[in-house]
Amino acid sequence: MEYYFNIRYEFNKKAVHERIAQQLQKNEADYICVADGVILNTTNRDPEYLKVVNGGMFSICDSSYVPLYIRWIYGKRFEQYCGSQIFMDIIRSRKYRMIFMGTSQAILDGLKENLIHENPDVAQMQFIELPFRKVEEFDYPEIARMVEADGADIIWVALGAPKQEIFMSRLKPYLHRGVMIAVGAAFKFFSGTGVSRAPQWMIRCHLEFVHRIFKEPRKQLSRCAGILGSLPRLLLQESRRKHQQKKQSTYNQ
């Protein structure tokens, strides 16, 4: 794991899954954040939210641009590991009992129907619609009792950022075991309700944001404006951090 743009990332996919397995063996609860451009922007504007994001096990990189920025600044090569990818990797592994929480019942119903084709065990798992309310208004002790009665290893959460990350951080103290993973739009992508990821050629060309703008123009344009507004400062800060590390390394030699 390494810090870039103040977020503690794990880029190694094998290490991600090894850490999940190790965490479940410890019988302790924790969470993983899926850090896209929205989270990158928000964490660097809100110190309390940054604590939430870095308060879990680590973050995986849902942004195709962050690896490009790291390559420009540090010359290191990393790959994106987006929420929909880790979601489907774990579904298809058939290793864990899971519970699916958040979004609307219609999306959950479609999601369950489609996931059964990928993993028949899903037919016996719970898909729970959470009420629409402020993140501080959820009954976390009751939600934890429901999760633990289920015996789920993986708790998928889809409430949208930054709400879902705060939800996991608030639920964690009430859970005795399990790994929570916030996957945002992944529920919609695999529910068959008309929302899908961009075509592969757009993803390869780092143009997925264009696809999302066409699908949800008002929401995505607002997010893009926030990201673009903070990006020059973030790149400058990370470049300075690199030079400080280099100076410190030279000093210590």
Side-chain angles (χ1 to χ4, degrees), residues 3-250:
Y3 281 88
Y4 295 102
F5 303 101
N6 298 315
I7 294 176
R8 189 172 72 251
Y9 286 107
E10 178 57 77
F11 287 97
N12 186 303
K13 294 181 183 180
K14 182 180 178 181
V16 168
H17 292 277
E18 288 175 347
R19 285 288 308 280
I20 290 172
Q22 291 166 4
Q23 184 65 34
L24 291 170
Q25 289 175 356
K26 291 195 303 184
N27 284 323
E28 297 176 0
D30 215 328
Y31 60 90
I32 295 170
C33 296
V34 179
D36 61 2
V38 175
I39 289 180
L40 177 65
N41 175 46
T42 310
T43 53
N44 283 281
R45 293 176 182 268
D46 183 346
E48 291 304 311
Y49 182 58
L50 178 61
K51 290 179 184 178
V52 167
V53 170
N54 285 337
M57 295 166 61
F58 50 79
S59 292
I60 64 170
C61 183
D62 192 52
S63 168
S64 67
Y65 283 94
V66 167
L68 288 179
Y69 304 152
I70 294 172
R71 190 187 309 173
W72 295 342
I73 295 172
Y74 293 95
K76 298 180 180 179
R77 291 182 175 271
F78 295 117
E79 292 184 1
Q80 175 190 22
Y81 193 21
C82 66
S84 58
Q85 288 176 313
I86 190 173
F87 181 70
M88 197 52 69
D89 285 347
I90 290 177
I91 296 294
R92 289 171 175 159
S93 75
R94 300 188 67 176
K95 290 182 178 179
Y96 305 114
R97 178 164 181 82
M98 297 167 281
I99 192 167
F100 304 78
M101 307 178 69
T103 192
S104 69
Q105 194 61 52
I107 290 174
L108 291 171
D109 291 343
L111 180 66
K112 183 173 185 178
E113 182 179 349
N114 289 333
L115 292 184
I116 288 172
H117 298 295
E118 304 289 342
N119 177 351
D121 301 335
V122 167
Q124 307 304 319
M125 298 179 191
Q126 290 195 73
F127 289 70
I128 299 171
E129 180 182 19
L130 294 175
F132 182 75
R133 58 183 52 167
K134 294 179 180 178
V135 72
E136 63 269 16
E137 295 176 351
F138 285 104
D139 187 345
Y140 291 101
E142 179 57 33
I143 293 172
R145 282 192 290 270
M146 180 171 53
V147 171
E148 298 204 331
D150 180 271
D153 302 303
I154 305 293
I155 302 101
W156 297 109
V157 180
L159 293 171
K163 188 175 184 178
Q164 60 194 10
E165 290 75 33
I166 300 171
F167 176 92
M168 294 192 299
S169 72
R170 287 175 175 257
L171 182 58
K172 176 181 172 179
Y174 297 99
L175 291 174
H176 293 99
R177 69 178 303 276
V179 174
M180 296 174 278
I181 309 176
V183 288
F187 281 22
K188 293 180 181 179
F189 292 159
F190 297 111
S191 67
T193 55
V195 179
S196 61
R197 283 200 76 189
Q200 283 299 313
W201 71 267
M202 295 187 80
I203 294 172
R204 288 194 298 270
C205 295
H206 306 283
L207 293 173
E208 187 168 11
F209 75 95
V210 176
H211 175 81
R212 292 195 175 188
I213 287 173
F214 276 106
K215 292 291 184 179
E216 299 175 298
R218 181 177 298 180
K219 176 182 177 181
Q220 297 301 330
L221 283 172
S222 175
R223 287 182 167 185
C224 287
I227 293 168
L228 290 173
S230 64
L231 184 58
R233 175 176 55 85
L234 290 178
L235 293 174
L236 179 60
Q237 288 177 347
E238 196 68 18
S239 181
R240 287 174 175 171
R241 180 169 175 263
K242 172 196 171 182
H243 291 302
Q244 288 172 351
Q245 289 175 341
K246 189 173 181 180
K247 285 174 64 177
Q248 186 64 39
S249 177
T250 302

